[in-house]
Amino acid sequence: MRAAQVKAFGGPEVLTTVELPDPVPGPGEVLIEVAHTDTIFVETQIRTGLFRAYFPVEPPYVPGGGVAGTVTAVGAGVDPAWVGRRVTSFVDGGYAERVTAPATAPTPVPDGVDLRTAAALVHDGVTAAGLLEHTAVAAGDRVLILGASGGMGTLLIQLARARGARVVAAARGARKSALVRELGADAVVDVSERDWVERAREALGRPAPARTPEDTAEDTTGGTTENTAGDAAEGAADVVLDGVGGELGLAAFALTADGGRFSAHGAPTGGFAAVDAAEAERRGVTLFGIGDVQFGEERARRLSAHVLAQAAAGRLRPVIGARFPLTEAAAAHAAIEGRELVGKVVLDVRPGV
Ligand SMILES: NC(=O)c1ccc[n+]([C@@H]2O[C@H](COP(=O)([O-])OP(=O)(O)OC[C@H]3O[C@@H](n4cnc5c(N)ncnc54)[C@H](OP(=O)(O)O)[C@@H]3O)[C@@H](O)[C@H]2O)c1
């Protein structure tokens, strides 16, 4: 089978197409014929050799942690009813025509959701839904989303709005700002403007009035959440979702209301926001980090099923800014790094499916 392999740490050109033996499902595994492969920003960083402490891969390796496709075979001890099912799955080495996965990993894709859309939700959808769950975003919360025009940001806008939050989306440039407005953001700030922090303060405005229990938003991913906006300061966010890190992330931390929640789960700038934990404690800000979005298998499956159901119901639309054939994985990485695209990049392994 064909796969895209990183032959050495480096630029996009280190990704080349190779022929590898077809994988065979072992006991407890399924074989997935991949239709589309998800790509995420961090894969470009791992390819350069960054974050080796967290992602201990050594070249040559096949990148890719999420696919959508069809189960074509099962190993010993696995229910043969899986064969023929359309699924998404977390996998190792997803930039390939075929992959194996533990039979506990796949989530069935509902009718009405095409496999490309499903692939776009494997990481971003699950992480976005999980983030809103553990930061307990509720009706009336003012939520500031950094990196709002990216693969996950575009989903966060839609899912946070569905919870009744007031979304202030931070994006870069006019085209990306227009997209996030179209997706339902209540206000948009352009981070390429020098005064974006002031503009964000204005957009965040006053906290919503304290809610009665009847107003409390229902958490569709399980449990209920309580609105805390009534206690928050003017011109601040009850929840900040920082998918970019660095100086932008730090500026957004200053925009977090005392008693609010701040999630530093992204580092496309090269590093997570270096938030002062003592200051956060003094201000009563609850900090979340990259560790909080490493979900166990059961939670990931529940979140997967949730976002796929939302897509099937027409309530969630991933934004796929570009598609590349598997054989052009290097161009896909170059496009992600080029920062001109909106939304996410998907690799078409079997384009017609
Ligand atoms: N997707 C997941 O499941 C997942 C899981 C855990 C953590 N995360 C983290 O969340 C972040 C967002 O992920 P994603 O998949 O949504 O990525 P993405 O689609 O590529 O979006 C990345 C965002 O970061 C911005 N960005 C890129 N380079 C930047 C730079 N040098 N300085 C400032 N902003 C920059 C981009 O906006 P502009 O280029 O327009 O500025 C874009 O909005 C990543 O750090 C990722 O590692 C994602």
Side-chain angles (χ1 to χ4, degrees):
M1 67 163 185
R2 286 182 305 179
Q5 193 178 62
V6 170
K7 57 177 193 280
F9 290 128
E13 70 285 351
V14 300
L15 262 171
T16 56
T17 306
V18 292
E19 276 293 330
L20 294 177
D22 272 344
V24 176
E29 290 184 336
V30 297
L31 178 69
I32 301 171
E33 186 83 23
V34 178
H36 304 279
T37 293
D38 189 16
T39 70
I40 54 174
F41 193 87
V42 79
E43 288 163 1
T44 65
Q45 295 175 305
I46 296 169
R47 191 209 64 228
T48 66
L50 262 181
F51 303 144
R52 292 175 77 175
Y54 308 106
F55 302 100
V57 287
E58 285 300 328
Y61 71 92
V62 176
V67 298
T70 305
V71 175
T72 51
V74 296
V78 178
D79 184 352
W82 275 108
V83 175
R85 279 200 196 158
R86 299 183 327 133
V87 297
T88 59
S89 187
F90 289 101
V91 297
D92 285 327
Y95 290 19
E97 289 180 314
R98 273 158 227 112
V99 288
T100 55
T104 48
T107 305
V109 175
D111 291 346
V113 178
D114 64 87
L115 287 176
R116 188 179 290 117
T117 298
L121 291 169
V122 177
H123 284 103
D124 294 347
V126 167
T127 309
L131 269 171
L132 296 176
E133 192 176 72
H134 66 245
T135 56
V137 167
D141 273 342
R142 295 161 301 166
V143 178
L144 175 63
I145 299 172
L146 259 55
S149 67
M152 190 163 64
T154 47
L155 298 177
L156 281 171
I157 294 169
Q158 299 171 63
L159 292 170
R161 288 275 295 134
R163 282 171 167 252
R166 216 179 94 67
V167 170
V168 176
R172 185 175 56 93
R175 194 168 60 97
K176 295 184 178 186
S177 296
L179 168 81
V180 297
R181 192 172 290 111
E182 197 186 301
L183 288 172
D186 296 281
V188 183
V189 288
D190 182 344
V191 295
S192 64
E193 311 251 336
R194 285 167 65 101
D195 61 348
W196 79 267
V197 172
E198 261 327 293
R199 283 173 189 260
R201 279 198 192 287
E202 285 162 22
L204 288 162
R206 299 173 62 79
R211 301 254 148 183
T212 63
E214 292 76 50
D215 293 330
T216 303
E218 194 188 339
D219 175 353
T220 53
T221 58
T224 53
T225 53
E226 240 174 60
N227 175 273
T228 54
D231 302 322
E234 188 161 346
D238 305 295
V239 180
V240 173
L241 302 173
D242 169 21
V244 303
E247 291 301 316
L248 283 170
L250 261 190
F253 175 64
L255 288 167
T256 313
D258 289 2
R261 290 90 83 196
F262 182 90
S263 172
H265 53 267
T269 47
F272 293 100
V275 169
D276 179 348
E279 185 192 337
E281 193 176 348
R282 186 171 48 73
R283 291 173 43 207
V285 175
T286 306
L287 298 179
F288 298 91
I290 188 72
D292 295 297
V293 291
Q294 312 303 312
F295 308 127
E297 205 173 66
E298 199 182 320
R299 187 168 172 210
R301 254 204 325 269
R302 174 171 61 76
L303 294 169
S304 276
H306 170 70
V307 290
L308 286 167
Q310 293 298 306
R315 289 192 287 265
L316 185 64
R317 175 173 74 87
V319 176
I320 299 173
R323 297 152 43 186
F324 292 86
L326 175 65
T327 49
E328 290 177 27
H333 272 212
I336 295 170
E337 290 169 329
R339 296 175 63 188
E340 290 309 313
L341 298 171
V342 292
K344 72 180 292 96
V345 172
V346 169
L347 292 178
D348 289 337
V349 181
R350 284 188 296 151
V353 184

